[in-house]
Amino acid sequence: MTTTAPPDRDLGRLVLPALVLLVGAGLVLGGFDLDLPLNIGYLGPQWFPIGVGGALLVLGVLLLFDRPTPDTETGPEWRSFGIVVATLAAHVVLLWLVGWIPAGIALFWGIARAVGSTRALFDLGVAAVFSCAVQFGFSAGLGVSLPVGLLLEAS
C-alpha cells in the first residue's frame, strides 16, 4: 500500500507564500531604510514601499493558510505560463526600444490573453487606456518619468 503526504505537509505549496513574505519583508525594511531629505513631510516616498510590503505580508500569511479542495485541484497551465513569460520578455525589449506606453499596452494585453480573455480588441483598448493612465499617474502624480525608449531618444 502506498501513501502520499497529506496536503498540509506538501512543501511545494509553501514556495509561493515564502517568496511573497520575503518580498514583502524586503519592501518594508527597504522603505524604512530610505535616505530622505530633511524637507520631506510626514507622508514621504518611503510609505509607498512600506504599504505595498505590508499588503504583501498580509497576502503571504493568507497564502500560508489557503488550502485548495481536491475538487478544484488542477495541474499546471503551461500554455498560460508560456504566454506570461513571453509577454514579460517582450515587455522588457519593447520598454527599451519604444518606451512605456507601447510596452505597457503589450504587457497588459498579453497578460489578459494569458489568463483566458477572448476579446482581443477590447483587451487592446483597455490595455491602451490603462497604460496611458499609468504613464499619466507616474508623470503628473509622482513626478517620475517612465522610459521613452531608444527609438524616441534617437530622433
Side-chain angles (χ1 to χ4, degrees), residues 27-130:
L27 283 172
V28 169
L29 294 174
F32 282 121
D33 196 36
L34 281 175
D35 293 328
L36 302 172
L38 296 175
N39 62 349
I40 295 292
Y42 175 71
L43 289 177
Q46 78 274 13
W47 291 108
F48 183 75
I50 292 171
V52 171
L56 285 175
L57 289 173
V58 170
L59 178 64
V61 170
L62 291 174
L63 284 172
L64 279 174
F65 297 106
D66 181 40
R67 297 289 177 228
T69 60
D71 296 342
T72 61
E73 185 91 22
T74 61
E77 296 185 20
W78 294 110
R79 180 182 177 277
S80 295
F81 178 74
I83 292 172
V84 167
V85 169
T87 299
L88 290 174
H91 176 70
V92 169
V93 171
L94 287 173
L95 189 61
W96 178 70
L97 281 176
V98 295
W100 166 255
I101 292 180
I105 291 170
L107 174 70
F108 299 136
W109 183 79
I111 297 300
R113 305 302 291 173
V115 297
S117 179
T118 58
R119 300 169 58 183
L121 288 177
F122 178 79
D123 295 339
L124 194 60
V126 170
V129 168
F130 194 63

Side-chain angles (χ1 to χ4, degrees), residues 4-29:
T4 60
D8 55 343
R9 289 193 180 173
D10 186 8
L11 293 179
R13 295 195 186 277
L14 297 178
V15 172
L16 180 63
L19 287 174
V20 170
L21 287 169
L22 186 66
V23 170
L27 283 172
V28 169
L29 294 174

